[in-house]
C-alpha cells in the first residue's frame, strides 16, 4: 500500500521529504519533527525514487537514534532495510576499518579503547615520567591529546608554540608514548576510528571510489554538531552524483567545546551549490507560552538562520520563574512542586519530570531534598552502566579473549579477584614483558621460558592457573559450540568473580545484579543478531553513548543540558540560573561573545525540552564563581520572563507538599542499570562494482524455529540430549547424556531434532 505523504506531513515537512534537489539543508527547529522527516525521506527514496537500499547512508549521533530510525523505516517499507546503512559516525568508521584497516598495515582484530582506558594509559605514562596520578600535569596531558586529536593532529603533525612556562613539550612526549603503546596493543581510541578512516579514504583511491560508487544518498542528522574531521569524512564520500541531505538547527549548536563547528551548517549553501533550504518551524512539542519565551531569548543571537517556532496548540500554563535567598530554599521549592506534579496521578509517576542544569555541582541540595522526601531520582551524565567497576572488570576479561596485546585490560584483571599478585608483581610483569618484546598477557603465558624472572613463586602459580582457564575459554569461544554468552558466564563463575564482588559490595549496592544485567545484554544481542560474533558484541558495547543508557524508569531525571539534548519531558525545571553560572563566566572569558551566544543556545535547548510546564529558578546565595552574592541570569530578561521581587519570595506559589507527612511516602527503589542494548546496523560495502540486486549470503542454520522443552536432540559433538529450558526463541538449554548441560544457539547447524517415539511409523 503506497504511503500517503500529504496526509502524514505538514506543508514544510512534505516539501522536505519529497524534494528532488541534489543538495538540501533542512533547518529543523526544536520539536518540529526532524526525525519524522528523515524517516519519511528515506522511505521516499526507497518507495518513490526506487533507490537501492545499499546506496543510502544515514548518519545519526547516537546508536539509539540509529536503531529507532531504521525500525521506523522498516515499518514504512517492509523488507527493504536489510542493506540500508543507518549508523553513527563512529560505528560507520569501526565497520569501515574492519574491512579496510589493512591498508595502513593494521589487523582487523583491533580493540577499541574507551575513555577510562585512555585515561589509565595516560596516567601510567605520566607516573613513569615521575609525576603523581593526581598531578595537574596529568589533566593537562589528557587535554592536550584530546584537543589535538579533535583537530585531527597526531604527534608528528603538531607544531609547538614554545610559550614561556608552557608544558606542551612534555605533553607532546606523553602523546607520543601513548600512541606508541596503543599501536603495540593493536588498539584504537574513538578519535582514531575517524582519523584512520579519513587517512585511508584520502590515500587509497580505489577504496574512496568504491564507497563513492556505493553511497548515492547521504543523509546526516544533527548537522549542527558536525566537527571538522566528520566534515572531511563526508566530503570524501561525496562524488558529483551524490545527493547530500542534512538536517540540523544552528540554534542548537551546543558542543563547540568538543569540536562542533557551527560554520559547517551555516556555510552548507556555499559548499553545496545550488542548495535548497527548507525551514521546519512548526513545533509539535511545547506550548505557545514556552515557545514565545524561547524565541525571544534566541533572537538575541547573531550567528543563526532566522526562524520563529510556532504551534497550533493552546498557550498552556505560564512559565514559573522563582528567586530564592539560598540554594536550599530553591531545592525545597522544586522538590515540593515535583511532589505536586507526581502525586496528581496514581500510582505516583515521576517519569516525565526532569531537572536540568548548566553544571553538575548544582545538584547537591536537590539530592539532599530528594532523600529527605523519599523521591526516587537518577543522575545522567555521571557514572554510566558500562563504566561501573564490576562491568568494566568483566568487559576487560572479554577484551583479553579477543586481543591478548591489551595491557590495559590485563592490568585491570590480573588481581581481580584477588590472587596475591600485588602492585610490585604487576610492575615486574610490565618491565619484564617490555624487555621481552611481549604483551603482559603473552609474557605470563610463557613464564616457563623465562627462568630468570623475578616474579614471586605464588604469583607465578596464580598466573599459570589464570592463563590456563583463559586459554580454555578462548578455545571454547573459537569452537562456537555454545553461545558465547553461556561460555563467558561460566568462566566468570569459575574464577569466583561473583563471590568476590559479593564480598566487596556495599550494603546499598548490587554488583552481582549489574554483572547479570551485562549477561542479559549479551543474550539479548545474540537473540537480536543470532549470526553475530563475540567481537561484534564488544564493538557495539564500546560505541554506546550516555543517552543509550536511559531506560525510562519511574524516577526524576537529573542531567546537564548537554545530556538533555534531543530529549523531551512534560515538566522541566531549569535550576541555578545565576549570572556567572548560567551564562557561564568561564565560557564568556574564553570565547567572548561567541561564548555568550553558545550559552544562550544552551538555555534555548533547555527551555525547548519542556512539553507542558517550565519552571526556571535562581538564588541569591554567596558564590565563589563571582565572589559575591548571585544575581539572576540575564536570560530571564532576554526571554521576557519577569522574576518576583526579593520581598515576595514566599507567595502562594511556595507551599509544602499537599500529601501530608513525609512518612506517607514509600521509597521507590530502582537499580541503576541498563538492560537495553542498541546494536549498530550491518555494514557490508562491496568489493567490486555492485550488482543490481545484491544478495547477502545466508549463514548455515538447522532451519528449526519451533523448539519446545522436552524435544530430543542430537548434537554432532555433544551427542544425544533433551531440551530442558527455552531462554528465548533463539537460545535453548540442552541436557546431554554425556556432556552435561549446555546453552546453545537454537539454529546452530550442529543441532538436530530427533523424531519422537512412534513418529517413524
Amino acid at each position: 500500500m503506497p504511503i500517503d505523504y500529504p496526509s502524514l506531513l505538514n506543508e514544510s515537512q512534505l516539501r522536505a521529504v519529497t524534494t528532488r534537489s541534489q543538495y538540501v539543508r533542512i533547518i529543523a527547529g526544536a520539536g518540529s519533527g526532524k526525525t519524522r522527516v528523515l524517516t519519511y525521506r528515506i522511505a521516499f527514496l526507497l518507495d518513490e525514487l526506487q533507490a537501492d537500499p545499499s546506496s543510502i547512508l544515514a548518519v545519526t549521533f547516537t546508536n539509539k537514534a540509529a536503531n529507532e530510525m531504521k525500525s521506523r523505516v522498516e515499518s514504512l517499507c517492509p523488507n527493504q532495510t536489510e542493506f540500508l546503512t543507518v549508523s553513527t559516525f563512529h560505528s560507520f568508521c569501526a565497520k569501515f576499518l574492519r574491512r579496510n584497516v589493512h591498508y595502513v598495515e593494521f589487523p582487523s582484530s583491533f580493540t577499541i579503547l574507551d575513555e577510562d582506558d585512555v585515561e589509565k594509559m595516560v596516567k601510567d605514562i605520566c607516573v613513569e615520567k615521575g609525576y603523581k596520578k593526581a598531578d595537574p600535569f596529568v589533566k593537562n596531558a589528557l587535554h592536550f591529546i584530546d584537543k589535538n586529536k579533535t583537530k585531527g593532529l597526531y604527534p608528528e603533525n603538531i607544531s609547538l608554540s614554545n610559550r614561556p612556562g608552557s608544558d606542551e613539550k612534555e605533553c607532546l612526549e606523553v602523546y607520543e608514548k601513548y600512541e606508541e603503546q596503543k599501536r603495540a596493543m593493536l588498539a584504537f581510541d574513538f578519535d582514531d576510528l575517524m582519523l584512520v578512516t579519513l587517512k585511508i579514504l584520502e590515500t587509497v583511491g580505489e577504496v574512496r571510489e568504491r564507497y563513492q560508487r556505493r553511497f548515492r544518498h547521504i543523509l546526516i542528522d544533527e548537522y549542527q554538531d558536525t566537527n571538522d574531521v566528520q566534515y572531511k569524512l563526508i566530503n570524501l564520500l561525496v562524488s558529483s552524483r551524490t545527493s547530500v541531505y542534512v538536517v540540523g538547527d544552528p540554534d542548537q549548536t551546543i558542543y563547540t567545546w568538543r569540536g562542533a563547528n557551527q560554520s559547517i551548517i551555516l556555510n552548507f549553501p556555499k559548499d553545496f551549490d545550488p542548495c535548497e533550504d527548507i525551514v521546519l518551524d512548526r513545533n509539535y512539542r511545547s506550548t505557545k507560552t514556552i515557545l514565545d519565551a524561547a524565541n525571544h531569548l534566541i533572537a538575541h543571537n547573531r550567528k543563526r538562520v532566522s526562524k520563529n517556532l510556532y504551534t497550533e496548540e493552546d498557550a498552556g500554563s505560564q512559565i514559573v520563574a522563582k528567586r530564592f535567598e539560598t540554594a536550599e530554599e530553591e531545592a525545597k521549592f522544586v522538590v515540593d512542586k515535583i511532589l505536586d506534579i507526581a502525586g496528581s496521578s496514581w500510582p505516583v509517576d515521576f517519569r516525565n519530570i526532569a531537572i536540568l542544569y548548566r553544571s553538575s555541582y548544582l545538584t547537591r541540595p536537590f539530592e539532599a531534598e530528594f532523600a529527605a522526601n523519599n523521591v526516587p531520582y537518577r543522575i545522567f551524565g555521571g557514572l554510566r552502566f558500562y563504566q561501573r567497576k564490576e562491568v568494566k572488570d568483566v568487559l576487560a576479561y572479554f577484551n583479553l579473549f579477543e586481543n591478548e596485546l591489551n595491557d590495559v585490560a590485563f592490568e585491570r584483571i590480573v588481581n581481580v579477584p584477588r590472587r596475591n599478585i600485588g602492585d610490585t608483581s604487576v610492575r615486574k610483569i610490565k618491565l619484564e614483558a617490555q624487555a621481552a618484546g611481549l604483551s603482559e598477557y603473552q609474557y605470563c603465558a610463557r613464564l616457563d621460558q623465562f627462568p630468570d624472572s623475578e616474579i614471586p613463586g605464588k604469583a607465578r602459580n596464580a598466573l599459570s592457573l589464570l592463563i590456563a582457564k583463559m586459554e580454555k575459554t578462548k578455545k571454547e569461544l573459537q569452537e562456537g559450540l555454545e553461545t558465547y554468552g553461556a561460555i563467558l558466564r561460566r568462566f566468570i563463575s569459575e574464577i569466583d568473580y561473583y563471590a568476590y564482588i559479593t564480598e566487596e559490595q556495599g550494603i546499598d549496592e548490587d554488583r552481582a545484579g549489574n554483572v547479570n544485567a551485562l549477561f542479559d545484554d549479551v543474550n539479548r544481542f545474540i537473540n537480536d543478531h543470532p549470526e553475530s560474533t563475540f567481537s561484534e558484541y564488544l564493538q557495539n558495547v564500546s560505541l554506546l553513548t550516555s543517552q543509550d543508557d536511559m531506560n525510562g524508569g519511574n524516577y526524576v531525571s537529573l542531567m546537564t543540558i548537554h545530556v538533555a539534548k534531543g530529549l523531551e519531558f512534560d515538566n522541566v525545571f531549569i535550576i541555578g540560573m545565576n549570572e556567572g553560572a548560567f551564562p557561564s563566566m568561564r565560557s564568556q572569558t574564553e570565547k567572548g561573545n561567541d561564548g555568550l551566544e553558545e550559552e544562550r543556545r544552551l538555555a534555548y535547548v533547555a527551555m525547548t525540552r519542556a512539553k507542558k510546564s517550565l519552571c526556571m529558578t535562581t538564588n541569591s546565595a554567596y558564590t565563589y564563581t563571582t565572589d559575591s552574592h548571585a544575581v539572576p541570569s540575564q536570560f530571564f530578561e532576554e526571554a521576557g520572563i519577569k522574576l518576583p521581587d526579593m520581598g515576595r519570595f514566599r507567595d502562594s506559589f511556595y507551599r509544602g507538599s499537599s500529601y501530608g507527612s513525609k512518612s506517607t511516602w514509600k521509597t521507590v527503589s530502582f537499580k541503576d542499570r541498563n538492560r537495553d542494548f542498541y546494536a549498530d546496523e550491518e555494514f557490508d560495502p562491496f568489493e567490486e562494482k555492485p550488482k543490481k540486486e545484491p544478495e547477502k549470503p545466508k549463514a548455515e542454520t538447522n532451519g528449526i524455529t519451533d523448539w519446545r522443552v522436552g524435544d530430543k536432540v542430537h548434537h554432532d559433538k555433544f551427542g544425544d540430549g533433551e531440551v530442558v529450558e527455552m531462554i528465548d526463541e533463539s537460545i535453548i538449554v540442552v541436557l546431554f547424556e554425556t556432556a552435561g548441560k549446555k546453552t546453545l544457539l537454537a539454529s546452530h547447524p550442529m543441532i538436530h531434532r530427533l523424531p519422537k517415539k512412534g513418529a517413524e511409523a
Side-chain angles (χ1 to χ4, degrees):
M1 183 175 179
I3 301 171
D4 185 7
Y5 295 99
S7 69
L8 296 167
L9 304 164
N10 68 35
E11 185 178 344
S12 296
Q13 291 174 336
L14 181 63
R15 180 184 162 202
V17 165
T18 59
T19 178
R20 303 298 178 104
S21 298
Q22 183 176 7
Y23 305 130
V24 183
R25 180 178 70 169
I26 309 296
I27 302 298
S32 62
K34 71 176 181 63
T35 303
R36 185 178 185 84
V37 165
L38 268 170
T39 301
Y40 276 89
R41 175 62 178 178
I42 296 172
F44 184 79
L45 293 174
L46 296 170
D47 181 49
E48 293 289 330
L49 301 187
Q50 300 297 304
D52 182 344
S54 69
S55 72
I56 298 173
L57 168 64
V59 182
T60 70
F61 274 74
T62 68
N63 297 288
K64 184 176 182 180
N67 281 274
E68 287 177 351
M69 188 177 297
K70 191 168 186 181
S71 177
R72 290 188 193 184
V73 174
E74 174 64 28
S75 68
L76 294 170
C77 303
N79 305 315
Q80 294 193 58
T81 61
E82 185 176 6
F83 297 99
L84 183 68
T85 302
V86 185
S87 174
T88 65
F89 276 109
H90 287 104
S91 299
F92 172 85
C93 292
K95 290 185 172 115
F96 174 95
L97 291 175
R98 296 291 180 196
R99 273 190 176 271
N100 300 290
V101 75
H102 61 277
Y103 285 104
V104 290
E105 299 180 350
F106 216 77
S108 61
S109 58
F110 60 82
T111 295
I112 301 174
L113 302 176
D114 65 20
E115 292 177 1
D116 280 359
D117 296 331
V118 172
E119 185 173 339
K120 183 184 184 305
M121 287 180 66
V122 172
K123 283 183 176 180
D124 287 348
I125 293 168
C126 291
V127 169
E128 290 176 9
K129 291 176 70 66
Y131 295 95
K132 294 181 178 179
K133 289 185 177 180
D135 194 296
F137 173 77
V138 177
K139 187 175 182 180
N140 292 347
L142 283 163
H143 177 69
F144 180 87
I145 294 171
D146 180 64
K147 178 184 69 175
N148 283 288
K149 284 209 136 177
T150 299
K151 294 178 181 177
L153 300 176
Y154 282 105
E156 60 271 22
N157 310 125
I158 296 173
S159 298
L160 299 179
S161 64
N162 296 317
R163 295 193 314 268
S166 169
D167 58 7
E168 284 186 334
K169 184 175 182 297
E170 290 78 8
C171 287
L172 179 59
E173 291 173 358
V174 172
Y175 189 6
E176 290 171 339
K177 185 68 173 178
Y178 165 72
E179 287 297 319
E180 177 188 322
Q181 289 187 2
K182 184 159 53 64
R183 184 171 184 86
M185 290 166 49
L186 302 182
F188 288 140
D189 58 30
F190 281 5
D191 290 314
D192 291 325
L193 296 177
M194 283 196 286
L195 293 177
V196 179
T197 296
L198 197 62
K199 180 177 180 180
I200 294 171
L201 288 172
E202 286 176 333
T203 59
V204 187
E206 62 180 285
V207 176
R208 180 175 63 256
E209 291 165 9
R210 183 182 351 128
Y211 280 80
Q212 288 177 346
R213 286 197 307 270
R214 174 177 178 174
F215 293 121
R216 298 292 303 277
H217 305 276
I218 297 178
L219 304 92
I220 306 163
D221 192 12
E222 304 286 6
Y223 195 62
Q224 78 280 346
D225 293 331
T226 304
N227 64 33
D228 292 345
V229 172
Q230 293 162 343
Y231 176 71
K232 290 178 184 176
L233 178 62
I234 293 162
N235 278 274
L236 286 167
L237 295 173
V238 171
S239 71
S240 60
R241 302 182 306 164
T242 312
S243 70
V244 183
Y245 187 98
V246 303
V247 182
D249 182 5
D251 289 340
Q252 297 186 70
T253 305
I254 61 173
Y255 293 110
T256 63
W257 52 275
R258 68 181 189 195
N261 184 348
Q262 191 188 29
S263 65
I264 291 174
I265 188 171
L266 293 175
N267 292 337
F268 185 86
K270 298 177 183 177
D271 297 336
F272 296 91
D273 184 37
C275 161
E276 181 178 7
D277 257 344
I278 302 172
V279 177
L280 305 181
D281 52 6
R282 180 179 173 183
N283 179 282
Y284 290 88
R285 176 190 299 156
S286 307
T287 66
K288 182 179 185 301
T289 300
I290 293 170
L291 294 179
D292 285 349
N295 286 331
H296 274 102
L297 173 71
I298 202 63
H300 287 78
N301 274 11
R302 295 198 302 265
K303 294 183 178 179
R304 61 189 298 260
V305 176
S306 180
K307 67 178 183 305
N308 213 43
L309 293 180
Y310 73 95
T311 180
E312 296 185 0
E313 302 301 319
D314 295 337
S317 60
Q318 290 299 307
I319 294 172
V320 175
K322 303 297 289 183
R323 184 178 182 184
F324 303 93
E325 292 178 346
T326 67
E328 286 70 25
E329 286 186 354
E330 182 183 9
K332 176 169 174 44
F333 170 81
V334 168
V335 174
D336 281 348
K337 288 294 294 179
I338 286 172
L339 291 174
D340 282 352
I341 295 167
S344 63
S345 61
W346 188 260
V348 177
D349 190 354
F350 296 98
R351 285 172 294 186
N352 257 307
I353 303 172
I355 295 179
L356 309 183
Y357 38 84
R358 177 64 179 87
S359 302
S360 297
Y361 70 85
L362 294 167
T363 67
R364 181 196 56 77
F366 292 84
E367 293 186 67
E369 195 67 27
F370 279 135
N373 286 274
N374 291 327
V375 175
Y377 68 94
R378 181 175 176 184
I379 296 178
F380 292 96
L383 190 63
R384 294 171 46 213
F385 175 79
Y386 290 102
Q387 302 300 320
R388 294 192 185 143
K389 179 187 182 303
E390 57 275 12
V391 177
K392 287 279 290 182
D393 288 346
V394 175
L395 288 174
Y397 276 110
F398 291 3
N399 277 293
L400 266 179
F401 287 134
E402 280 293 293
N403 181 6
E404 62 184 25
L405 302 180
N406 192 334
D407 288 344
V408 173
F410 178 82
E411 289 176 20
R412 183 178 187 95
I413 58 85
V414 66
N415 198 39
V416 176
R418 286 182 291 273
R419 302 184 177 94
N420 295 315
I421 304 174
D423 292 344
T424 301
S425 294
V426 173
R427 281 195 293 272
K428 289 179 179 177
I429 293 171
K430 189 180 188 76
L431 292 172
E432 292 178 12
Q434 289 175 350
L438 299 169
S439 74
E440 293 166 29
Y441 181 92
Q442 290 174 328
Y443 181 73
C444 292
R446 305 174 193 178
L447 262 179
D448 57 348
Q449 301 176 19
F450 300 95
D452 296 333
S453 171
E454 296 182 4
I455 299 171
K458 284 186 178 181
R460 291 171 71 100
N461 292 336
L463 287 167
S464 177
L465 183 60
L466 171 64
I467 297 294
K469 288 181 178 178
M470 292 191 67
E471 289 298 313
K472 172 177 171 287
T473 302
K474 282 170 68 174
K475 184 178 179 182
E476 292 174 349
L477 288 168
Q478 291 165 0
E479 290 175 343
L481 299 175
E482 289 185 83
T483 62
Y484 53 82
I487 295 170
L488 297 168
R489 186 182 175 91
R490 183 167 60 244
F491 168 78
I492 292 300
S493 297
E494 286 177 354
I495 63 172
D496 295 326
Y497 188 78
Y498 277 108
Y500 163 72
I501 55 178
T502 301
E503 293 173 4
E504 292 287 310
Q505 70 185 12
I507 193 168
D508 60 343
E509 295 178 306
D510 187 5
R511 293 188 176 180
N514 286 334
V515 174
N516 287 333
L518 178 63
F519 284 110
D520 286 344
D521 272 342
V522 174
N523 281 340
R524 180 172 298 174
F525 185 64
I526 294 172
N527 185 47
D528 292 343
H529 307 272
E531 298 173 22
S532 66
T533 64
F534 179 41
S535 61
E536 287 173 329
Y537 171 74
L538 289 177
Q539 175 172 296
N540 280 283
V541 168
S542 68
L543 295 174
L544 290 177
T545 69
S546 58
Q547 285 197 4
D548 293 322
D549 276 349
M550 298 181 178
N551 56 20
N554 189 13
Y555 47 76
V556 179
S557 297
L558 280 70
M559 63 190 74
T560 65
I561 301 165
H562 287 101
V563 173
K565 174 74 171 63
L567 304 177
E568 59 183 34
F569 301 90
D570 284 350
N571 311 284
V572 169
F573 295 81
I574 309 175
I575 63 169
M577 294 194 65
N578 304 328
E579 199 69 19
F582 194 19
S584 162
M585 177 184 292
R586 176 179 177 182
S587 180
Q588 294 176 80
T589 300
E590 292 179 352
K591 301 179 184 178
N593 191 64
D594 284 348
L596 178 59
E597 289 211 356
E598 178 148 2
E599 292 294 303
R600 194 175 285 120
R601 293 193 295 268
L602 202 56
Y604 175 80
V605 167
M607 295 171 70
T608 54
R609 299 311 95 197
K611 296 167 69 175
K612 296 179 180 179
S613 74
L614 175 62
C615 178
M616 302 163 67
T617 63
T618 180
N619 68 73
S620 301
Y622 185 87
T623 170
Y624 287 101
T625 302
T626 59
D627 279 332
S628 63
H629 285 275
V631 297
S633 169
Q634 67 187 75
F635 295 154
F636 284 104
E637 182 178 350
E638 292 179 357
I641 297 171
K642 185 174 176 60
L643 278 165
D645 294 334
M646 285 290 290
R648 291 165 45 205
F649 281 175
R650 295 170 178 82
D651 56 17
S652 60
F653 224 40
Y654 181 50
R655 61 189 184 275
S657 167
S658 59
Y659 302 99
S661 67
K662 296 173 183 174
S663 62
T664 62
W665 286 88
K666 293 183 179 179
T667 301
V668 182
S669 63
F670 90 108
K671 303 299 181 189
D672 187 12
R673 62 178 76 162
N674 173 24
R675 292 180 178 269
D676 292 326
F677 186 84
Y678 299 97
D680 295 317
E681 305 305 327
E682 195 65 35
F683 180 59
D684 188 27
F686 45 77
E687 297 296 334
E688 301 176 356
K689 186 175 180 179
K691 298 179 181 179
K692 289 185 178 180
E693 296 181 3
E695 294 184 359
K696 182 180 179 181
K698 295 184 178 179
E700 184 183 358
T701 71
N702 57 26
I704 304 172
T705 59
D706 58 346
W707 287 105
R708 297 288 183 273
V709 172
D711 283 354
K712 303 295 183 182
V713 308
H714 176 77
H715 191 283
D716 292 348
K717 179 171 181 178
F718 299 139
D720 293 342
E722 179 180 335
V723 178
V724 294
E725 184 181 352
M726 299 287 299
I727 292 181
D728 54 45
E729 61 184 21
S730 297
I731 302 175
I732 61 176
V733 179
V734 179
L735 180 61
F736 290 99
E737 295 174 1
T738 57
K741 191 180 289 188
K742 302 288 182 183
T743 305
L744 309 169
L745 193 64
S747 60
H748 200 291
M750 296 180 74
I751 308 172
H752 316 279
R753 181 157 52 198
L754 296 176
K756 295 180 180 179
K757 290 183 179 180
E760 296 85 355

